[in-house]
Amino acid sequence: MIMAAGALIIAGGTGLTSVYADQPIRRTDLVKNDIDVPGHEASQVRVDFGPGAFAPKHHHPGEEIAYVIEGTLEYQLDGRKPVTLKAGQSLFIPTGVAHSARNVGDGKASELATYIVTKGSPLVVPVK
């Protein structure tokens, strides 16, 4: 699903969007399942970033492991220096830590995001 500029997906907490219409972010939900930890679930999502696309600051109701599949992404986590990852590199994002991501490479970039989150909570919570 390609998102329009400036629109955040509200229903079901299902996404991020680019702030530029010509530089979309496309999110593909891959799997969502209960886990053995009471009140939690695992979700895995593929996020494709067009050139220059930016995912605005947000947080999650649990941990995220971001694995860069292709391209180059810069992550900015609150309280930390920006980190730039290339294909094959990963980043752990603790529960509730606000962060953003930007495609800083020359072409498309993609990540595989794995979440262990509180069941029934919106997966993505925008930060104002």
Side-chain angles (χ1 to χ4, degrees):
M1 154 171 43
I2 296 178
M3 308 218 210
L8 286 175
I9 299 297
I10 296 170
T14 58
L16 299 174
T17 184
S18 172
V19 293
Y20 304 103
D22 60 340
Q23 300 167 353
I25 293 176
R26 184 175 60 119
R27 177 188 170 105
T28 305
D29 294 328
L30 301 172
V31 68
K32 181 177 185 177
N33 207 75
D34 290 346
I35 60 174
D36 289 341
V37 177
H40 289 78
E41 62 190 3
S43 291
Q44 198 166 56
V45 175
R46 179 183 174 123
V47 184
D48 297 296
F49 294 76
F54 176 71
K57 192 182 279 192
H58 62 281
H59 65 85
H60 308 285
E63 291 89 5
E64 175 184 2
I65 300 168
Y67 173 79
V68 178
I69 299 169
E70 69 175 301
T72 306
L73 293 168
E74 180 183 82
Y75 297 88
Q76 176 65 61
L77 280 66
D78 276 357
R80 300 185 189 178
K81 292 182 181 181
V83 61
T84 301
L85 301 180
K86 295 183 182 219
Q89 296 181 305
S90 350
L91 175 68
F92 179 81
I93 303 170
T95 302
V97 172
H99 57 283
S100 61
R102 180 184 307 275
N103 180 353
V104 294
D106 295 330
K108 182 177 109 173
S110 300
E111 74 171 8
L112 180 64
T114 303
Y115 306 94
I116 303 297
V117 295
T118 304
K119 187 174 180 168
S121 295
L123 185 57
V124 177
V125 179
V127 174
K128 295 177 184 177

